[in-house]
Amino acid sequence: MNEDLRQRANTLIEALPYLREYWGATMVIKYGGAAMVEPELKAMVLQDVVLLRYVGMYPVLVHGGGPEISEMMRRLGKEPVFVRGLRVTDAQTMDIVEMVLMGRINQDLVAAVNAAGGKGVGLSGKHGKMLKVAKQPCEVDLGLVGAIAAVDPAIVGTLVAQGYVPVIAPIGFGEDGQTYNINADHAAGKLAGALRATKLIVLSDVPGILRDARDQKTLVSSLTAEQGRQMIASGQVESGMIPKVEACLDALAEGVPRCHLVDGRAPHALLMEIFTDVGIGTMVLP
Ligand code: ADP
Ligand code: MG
């Protein structure tokens, strides 16, 4: 018997418990700006996403685009400013955000889903009135940054039921008719909750939550919502990691049983998270 073939069969059999557990499960995947830069890696991530669909799960992709938005802002002579990981968004910045997120990144990811053999459909939170927002309260004025007030996940449910892979840009609508910029982590967390997802998986450019943001060896492999809250309060979790942890807290509060923060730069991180018990990155539990 060919050893290599036997190995392959074994790999599939080892996946069986996970295939059984997650058949029909909705997996909300946040794909981060910082982990999205390398084209080959990106193709692999989308391949993983499409594989999940073909083995009977319902992947829903929510993407960021921070680095590309910042680059475009600088090209147009605007300096990006962040407060607690949120981008201060004036009207002109909102135009840039929408152009880059919907006009470029979303299209690009849909094409990558298609290239991997899936059927991608690009949406923003305005489509189907999915993400309704109110202006984000904050000690400083963040401009057109939206805090999600209501999620109508119906359009996502319709699409996944028909075999499509939704690719969602974090843009929302306000009752005032304005378009708002939403942090992609927040959008993913709320959407995971509204969809009663089985998992929220956040792919970024760090190994997970670090006890010391400057030391990659201080990975926290699992923590509770309460510990997550404490890490934000103590300042151990800062900048772009704050909305990620908040997204996990939101999803958990809505009944999503487990959230994961995983290194999107590691090839096939998504498959390793879903199909093994080893547990890569940080798991956040209620
Ligand atoms: P993304 O584009 O994936 O949303 P962000 O830059 O917004 O990425 O957020 C991830 C960043 O959060 C990391 O690159 C890291 O610099 C920062 N960070 C802050 N605190 C922590 C922490 N405790 N553990 C890990 N990363 C942290
Ligand atoms: Mg971010």
Side-chain angles (χ1 to χ4, degrees):
M1 208 11 197
N2 182 320
E3 194 50 36
D4 180 50
L5 291 180
R6 197 198 303 267
Q7 281 278 331
R8 282 200 228 174
N10 278 341
T11 304
L12 284 169
I13 289 299
E14 279 162 23
L16 181 58
Y18 304 96
L19 292 170
R20 208 163 47 198
E21 183 174 358
Y22 298 135
W23 196 84
T26 299
M27 302 287 182
V28 174
I29 298 148
K30 154 70 196 322
Y31 193 23
M36 230 164 32
V37 280
E38 226 272 279
E40 270 161 50
L41 254 178
K42 187 161 63 180
M44 273 183 168
V45 171
L46 277 304
Q47 204 176 31
D48 289 0
V49 168
V50 169
L51 185 143
L52 297 182
R53 182 65 193 83
Y54 279 109
V55 298
M57 297 174 210
Y58 298 128
V60 175
L61 204 61
V62 179
H63 65 84
E68 288 189 52
I69 293 167
S70 295
E71 191 204 307
M72 184 61 84
M73 286 179 72
R74 290 201 181 90
R75 260 204 257 169
L76 296 172
K78 290 180 82 77
E79 193 48 38
V81 179
F82 290 89
V83 177
R84 277 175 56 92
L86 301 177
R87 183 187 306 275
V88 178
T89 307
D90 61 16
Q92 200 191 357
T93 301
M94 187 61 234
D95 272 350
I96 297 170
V97 167
E98 196 162 29
M99 242 156 47
V100 172
L101 283 183
M102 273 315 274
R104 200 153 87 195
I105 298 175
N106 192 272
Q107 303 294 328
D108 185 50
L109 290 174
V110 168
V113 169
N114 293 347
K119 293 191 287 182
V121 176
L123 303 166
S124 83
K126 292 198 277 191
H127 290 105
K129 291 190 157 177
M130 191 199 316
L131 301 175
K132 181 164 138 185
V133 306
K135 191 176 155 69
Q136 170 82 47
C138 185
E139 54 276 15
V140 301
D141 186 3
L142 296 172
L144 294 169
V145 173
I148 297 174
V151 181
D152 181 349
I155 188 163
V156 176
T158 306
L159 288 172
V160 297
Q162 296 295 322
Y164 297 101
V165 176
V167 179
I168 300 165
I171 293 169
F173 68 98
E175 256 175 357
D176 52 8
Q178 290 266 26
T179 296
Y180 283 86
N181 180 19
I182 310 170
N183 176 275
D185 301 317
H186 285 159
K190 292 282 189 188
L191 204 55
L195 288 165
R196 298 284 180 268
T198 297
K199 287 185 186 221
L200 165 67
I201 303 172
V202 179
L203 300 174
S204 187
D205 68 337
V206 278
I209 299 177
L210 305 170
R211 208 165 293 110
D212 173 356
R214 273 146 294 273
D215 184 354
Q216 307 252 325
K217 289 191 293 292
T218 60
L219 177 69
V220 181
S221 57
S222 119
L223 80 171
T224 62
E226 186 45 41
Q227 288 168 326
R229 246 172 245 121
Q230 279 167 12
M231 285 186 81
I232 294 177
S234 72
Q236 277 176 295
V237 160
E238 50 182 10
S239 64
M241 189 51 71
I242 297 173
K244 294 184 200 309
V245 174
E246 287 171 344
C248 295
L249 298 177
D250 279 346
L252 293 168
E254 293 294 323
V256 174
R258 280 208 265 171
C259 300
H260 300 267
L261 292 140
V262 174
D263 196 334
R265 299 166 306 176
H268 301 302
L270 210 45
L271 298 188
M272 290 192 280
E273 201 304 299
I274 293 174
F275 289 102
T276 69
D277 261 341
V278 185
I280 55 167
T282 302
M283 175 164 75
V284 191
L285 299 163

